[in-house]
């Protein structure tokens, strides 16, 4: 099966580093769940200093002619980094794009859009964000909080932002992109009320924000709706499938898979029950050309008395469901502290599983390399970068994994780590070659976010 460009990228929200105590997190002091108790591994001691590169001059954004990459907003053939910055009060400040190139991510080539330039953008931080080419023009777009920020030869433009709607003009606020009918055009799967899913089929009209058509709502048997949904290929089929995570109060909840097809709502049949777990990632982990799906523990816990732990069969467990029908699922044990990502970080043709993990300084990334038998936890690579003052909030100094992208087009994905400056809008960034553990580029975006 020829690998198609991804219709969306999973991103870890910037808010993952903010200390928030309350129901649904444990131990309740802002630390990742396992950071309070886990003994750091030797790899956790690798703590490079803060980035020294601060772009002081801006170079023009290259005008592209269009590409097949959903994460290429200016269509020059290279992936771009997109993220929301916060303001000093913790609200949304603006959107920053740092552009890729033949030499990799270039911090001097960027686009900045202030939140106030996008009509109706909410103040809560961070807004949800997905990447897709909704109108099929060859320029990747950003889908965020019900808004469609369109790509162009010059990149993202605030004046071209639209409110996404269904075919009848009703605004939609949540959705994940995918190609569910395998026609080569990006669609959106949206939730419409508790337990209801509907597909909005592309292409979307660039003047109205409406899809070509809206599918029939599919009502599923769930009492409280879904905490998260995600799209990707989980088998040998042509269309993308949908994974659904049940609503929860911090504890690990049930997950299920809807396969695309000709049945009700655009799916082949009722959802298939998967293992318990709040995180997932789609990828071809065994390199056989079929999409696989990893589902498992994301490390969160309910902090109400008597509910702080998970059963042994859930705790730190990840199950990989392979695309080949005759290949049995594989279960791994690994530390996790957030969403899963997937990408081919070593260029061998197998996707690797990238986990957000908790280390001695709060956050790190762990890479489980793919292979013929799928991801392996036997010899994981731990990537950690540290910022901030050593004397203050040590467990919040570690950088969090943001995305896995190929910024220079060499066929190998880089792992992106980030760490916001507390009380400021600036973010420290590290783009890491997971094969060597060395930085490809490291920089702070303070120059173009704190003005």
């Amino acid at each position: 099966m020829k690998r198609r460009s991804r219709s969306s990228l999973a991103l870890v929200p910037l808010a993952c580093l903010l200390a928030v105590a309350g129901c649904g997190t444990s131990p309740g002091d802002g630390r990742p769940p396992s950071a309070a108790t886990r003994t750091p591994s030797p790899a956790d001691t690798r703590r490079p200093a803060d980035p020294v590169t601060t772009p002081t001059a801006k170079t023009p954004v290259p005008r592209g002619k269009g590409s097949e990459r959903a994460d290429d907003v200016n269509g020059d053939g290279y992936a771009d980094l997109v993220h929301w910055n916060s303001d000093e009060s913790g609200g949304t400040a603006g959107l920053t794009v740092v552009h890729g190139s033949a030499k990799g991510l270039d911090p001097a080539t960027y686009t900045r859009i202030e939140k106030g330039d996008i009509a109706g953008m909410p103040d809560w931080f961070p807004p949800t964000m997905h990447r897709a080419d909704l109108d099929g023009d060859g320029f990747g777009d950003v889908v965020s909080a019900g808004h469609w920020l369109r790509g162009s030869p010059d990149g993202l433009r605030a004046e071209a932002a639209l409110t996404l709607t269904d075919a009848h003009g009703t605004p939609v606020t949540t959705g994940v992109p995918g190609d569910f009918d395998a026609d080569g055009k990006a669609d959106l799967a949206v939730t419409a009320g508790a337990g209801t899913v509907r597909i909005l089929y592309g292409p979307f009209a660039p003047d109205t924000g409406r899809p070509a058509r809206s599918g029939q709502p599919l009502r599923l048997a769930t009492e409280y709706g879904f905490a998260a949904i995600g799209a990707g290929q989980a088998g040998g089929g042509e269309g993308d499938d949908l994974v659904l995570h049940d609503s929860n109060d911090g504890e690990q909840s049930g997950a299920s898979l809807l396969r695309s097809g000709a049945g009700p709502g655009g799916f082949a049949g009722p959802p298939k029950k998967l293992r318990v777990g709040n995180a997932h990632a789609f990828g071809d982990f065994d390199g056989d050309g079929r999409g696989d799906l990893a589902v498992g523990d994301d490390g969160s816990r309910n902090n109400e008395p008597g509910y702080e732990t998970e059963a042994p069969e859930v705790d730190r467990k990840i199950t990989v469901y392979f695309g080949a029908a005759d290949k049995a699922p594989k279960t791994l044990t690994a530390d996790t502290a957030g969403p899963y990502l997937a990408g081919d970080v070593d260029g061998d043709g197998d996707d690797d599983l990238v986990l957000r993990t908790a280390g001695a300084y709060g956050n790190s990334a762990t890479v489980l390399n793919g292979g013929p038998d799928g991801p392996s936890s036997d010899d994981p690579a731990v990537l950690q970068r540290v910022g901030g003052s050593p004397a203050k909030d040590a467990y919040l100094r570690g950088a969090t994994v943001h995305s896995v992208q190929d910024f220079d087009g060499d066929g190998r994905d880089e792992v992106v780590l980030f760490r916001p400056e507390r009380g400021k809008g600036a973010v420290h960034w590290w783009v890491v070659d997971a094969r060597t553990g060395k930085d490809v580029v490291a920089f702070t975006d303070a120059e173009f976010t704190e003005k």
Side-chain angles (χ1 to χ4, degrees), residues 10 15 19 24 48 52 59 64 68 121 128 142 172 182 207 212 243 265 302 332 366 381:
V52 295
T59 59
E68 295 183 357
M121 180 59 65
T128 57
V142 171
V172 297
D207 55 343
V243 65
N302 188 318
L332 310 170
T366 297

Side-chain angles (χ1 to χ4, degrees), residues 174-195:
T174 61
V176 295
D179 182 8
F180 300 101
D181 57 357
D183 66 350
K185 301 177 177 62
D187 313 313
L188 277 180
V190 301
T191 54

Side-chain angles (χ1 to χ4, degrees), residues 10-54:
L11 305 176
V12 177
L14 288 171
C16 288
L17 284 184
L18 302 181
V20 180
C23 189
T25 60
S26 174
D29 59 3
R31 283 175 286 180
S34 59
T37 58
R38 191 170 74 86
T39 300
S41 69
D44 291 330
T45 63
R46 294 176 298 188
R47 305 188 302 272
D50 283 351
V52 295
T53 300
T54 301

Side-chain angles (χ1 to χ4, degrees), residues 190-198 216-227 229 242 244-247 256 258 271:
V190 301
T191 54
T196 300
V197 176
R198 184 198 296 188
Q216 292 298 313
L218 180 63
R219 181 75 171 89
L220 301 171
T222 178
E223 185 175 359
Y224 299 108
F226 305 111
I229 61 176
L242 199 64
L244 309 164
H245 295 276
D246 293 340
S247 181
S256 55
L258 274 172

Side-chain angles (χ1 to χ4, degrees), residues 43-421:
D44 291 330
T45 63
R46 294 176 298 188
R47 305 188 302 272
D50 283 351
V52 295
T53 300
T54 301
T56 56
K58 181 179 179 180
T59 59
V61 175
R63 285 183 59 87
K65 298 181 179 180
S67 76
E68 295 183 357
R69 299 192 61 100
D71 57 356
D72 175 13
V73 300
N74 61 320
D76 65 348
Y78 299 103
D80 306 311
L81 177 69
V82 179
H83 67 99
W84 286 103
N85 290 89
S86 67
D87 57 26
E88 294 184 358
S89 64
T92 300
L95 187 75
T96 300
V97 182
V98 182
H99 292 273
S101 71
K103 296 182 179 180
L105 198 66
D106 181 5
T109 308
Y110 64 87
T111 302
R112 175 72 177 177
I113 298 176
E114 301 302 324
K115 187 202 73 171
D117 295 333
I118 305 172
M121 180 59 65
D123 188 57
W124 47 264
F125 181 83
T128 57
M129 184 168 65
H130 296 281
R131 313 282 294 274
D133 184 4
L134 290 183
D135 53 1
D137 63 353
F139 301 95
D141 310 315
V142 171
V143 179
S144 185
H147 291 74
W148 175 15
L149 282 71
R150 295 178 55 223
S152 75
D154 299 309
L156 296 180
R157 296 179 296 125
E159 64 271 18
L162 295 169
T163 298
L164 286 166
T165 74
D166 64 15
H168 304 291
T170 303
V172 297
T173 57
T174 61
V176 295
D179 182 8
F180 300 101
D181 57 357
D183 66 350
K185 301 177 177 62
D187 313 313
L188 277 180
V190 301
T191 54
T196 300
V197 176
R198 184 198 296 188
I199 305 299
L200 308 181
Y201 293 97
F204 286 69
D207 55 343
T208 64
R210 294 189 181 189
R213 60 187 176 93
S214 295
Q216 292 298 313
L218 180 63
R219 181 75 171 89
L220 301 171
T222 178
E223 185 175 359
Y224 299 108
F226 305 111
I229 61 176
Q233 286 195 343
E238 290 297 320
D240 284 336
D241 308 308
L242 199 64
V243 65
L244 309 164
H245 295 276
D246 293 340
S247 181
N248 61 75
D249 197 19
E251 72 281 358
Q252 300 302 298
S253 61
S256 55
L257 179 69
L258 274 172
R259 294 193 180 277
S260 59
F267 297 98
K272 172 187 175 182
K273 187 175 181 180
L274 305 174
R275 70 158 300 115
V276 171
N278 294 347
H280 75 270
F282 289 93
D284 182 7
F285 300 112
D286 58 1
D288 68 349
R290 302 180 181 89
D292 310 316
L293 172 63
V295 177
D297 186 4
D298 72 348
S300 69
R301 298 292 182 265
N302 188 318
N303 66 356
E304 297 179 8
Y307 295 92
E308 303 96 335
T309 61
E310 293 286 352
E313 63 269 21
V314 175
D315 182 44
R316 302 171 60 232
K317 296 299 187 293
I318 303 169
T319 297
V320 179
Y321 299 90
F322 294 103
D326 59 350
K327 194 168 186 176
K330 175 181 181 179
T331 297
L332 310 170
T333 300
D335 289 322
T336 58
Y340 302 170
L341 299 174
D344 185 2
V345 302
D346 53 12
D348 65 352
D350 308 319
D351 280 331
D352 309 300
L353 186 60
V354 181
L355 309 175
R356 178 190 170 191
T357 45
Y361 291 84
N363 296 297
S364 57
T366 297
V367 179
L368 307 184
N369 290 110
D373 297 323
S376 172
S377 57
D378 292 340
D379 187 23
V382 178
L383 308 175
Q384 184 167 68
R385 298 296 184 269
V386 175
S389 169
K392 185 177 181 181
D393 296 334
Y395 61 84
L396 292 176
R397 293 177 59 211
T400 297
V401 59
H402 174 273
S403 57
V404 180
Q405 297 176 256
D406 179 8
F407 296 110
D408 58 5
D410 68 351
R412 293 190 302 267
D413 290 313
E414 292 87 51
V415 178
V416 182
L417 304 175
F418 74 103
R419 183 189 180 277
E421 285 287 335

